[in-house]
């Protein structure tokens, strides 16, 4: 049973650049949520995708955008990177109507 | 006031002891409550969830929920060095996405 997968595992970018992170949900799941986890903090909700649409968004600027594909996989895009965007980006998958979310291994982004 | 607060750590217990982790939340509309374990450098791993008032036991772990007091706890019996990790408390929001709101985590060290 394949779990949640994310790519890449690590990424180094410079300020002002753009980045795309990818996620494939657990088999049988149709909902993908993205979280940002800064060092020493709990994850913070960025947004959730279901049926290829953004369902809800947390307190993140429009520089953060996403997409969900027909096969339920998802991308997170961040434009105009800031130093403060350095964090662990986590993808969590779930089934519609079931609140339990399972996390992927994360992508660690460093912005220089 | 933070939406989800966890008892300040770090917390150290000797091997074989009971570790007690506490969490309070501010949103009375929260429906579901989760405990995740996060090893250093890894992503959060779901260990327990609870929806109803009372206790829920799973092996060495017991989750306790008191909605009137807006309080949820996790007890780890017969603590092992492998339990050393950061424990994250999460509650679901009242929005349609049921996104998770996390506390900052409590770092637990089990001393051999």
């Amino acid at each position: 049973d394949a779990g949640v997968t994310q790519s890449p595992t690590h990424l180094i970018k410079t300020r002002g650049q753009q980045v795309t992170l990818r996620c494939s949900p657990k088999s049988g799941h149709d909902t993908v949520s993205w979280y940002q986890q800064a060092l020493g903090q709990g994850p913070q909700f960025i947004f959730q995708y279901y049926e290829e649409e953004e369902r809800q968004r947390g307190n993140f600027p429009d520089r953060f955008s996403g997409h969900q594909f027909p096969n339920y996989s998802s991308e997170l895009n961040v434009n105009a990177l800031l130093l403060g965007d350095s964090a662990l980006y986590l993808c969590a998958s779930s089934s519609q109507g079931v609140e339990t979310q399972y996390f992927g291994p994360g992508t660690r982004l460093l912005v220089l | 006031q933070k939406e989800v607060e966890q008892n300040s750590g770090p917390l150290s217990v000797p091997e074989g002891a009971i570790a007690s982790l506490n969490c309070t939340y501010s949103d009375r509309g929260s429906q579901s409550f989760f405990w995740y374990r996060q090893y250093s450098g890894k992503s959060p791993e779901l260990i327990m969830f609870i929806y109803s008032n009372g206790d829920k036991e799973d092996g060495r772990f017991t989750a306790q929920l008191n909605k009137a007091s807006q309080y949820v706890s996790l007890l780890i019996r017969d603590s092992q060095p492998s339990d050393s990790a950061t424990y994250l408390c999460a509650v679901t929001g009242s929005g349609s996405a049921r996104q998770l709101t996390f506390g900052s985590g409590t770092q637990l060290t089990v001393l051999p």
Side-chain angles (χ1 to χ4, degrees), chain A residues 9-99:
Chain A
T9 55
H10 295 83
L11 207 49
I12 300 175
K13 292 286 188 179
T14 56
R15 281 179 300 173
Q17 286 190 310
Q18 178 262 344
V19 68
T20 297
L21 311 181
R22 296 176 176 82
C23 170
S24 290
K26 190 176 167 67
S27 178
H29 286 183
D30 56 10
T31 302
V32 173
S33 302
W34 287 93
Y35 293 82
Q36 179 196 66
Q37 186 176 24
L39 203 60
Q41 300 297 315
Q44 281 198 293
F45 175 72
I46 302 175
F47 41 54
Q48 184 182 87
Y49 276 84
Y50 172 65
E51 291 189 329
E52 302 180 47
E53 291 191 358
E54 182 181 295
R55 192 174 188 200
Q56 191 156 343
R57 187 179 187 90
N59 189 25
F60 280 81
D62 291 345
R63 298 187 297 108
F64 290 77
S65 63
H67 189 77
Q68 185 179 34
F69 299 94
N71 66 353
Y72 309 120
S73 67
S74 177
E75 288 182 348
L76 164 66
N77 301 292
V78 187
N79 294 322
L81 284 167
L82 304 174
L83 296 180
D85 294 331
S86 296
L88 178 66
Y89 288 84
L90 295 161
C91 166
S93 79
S94 56
S95 292
Q96 178 57 22
V98 179
E99 295 181 343

Side-chain angles (χ1 to χ4, degrees), chain B residues 14 21 37 40 54 62 74 80 101:
Chain B
L21 305 164
R37 177 176 62 198
S40 181
T62 299
L74 179 70
Q80 301 296 309
T101 301

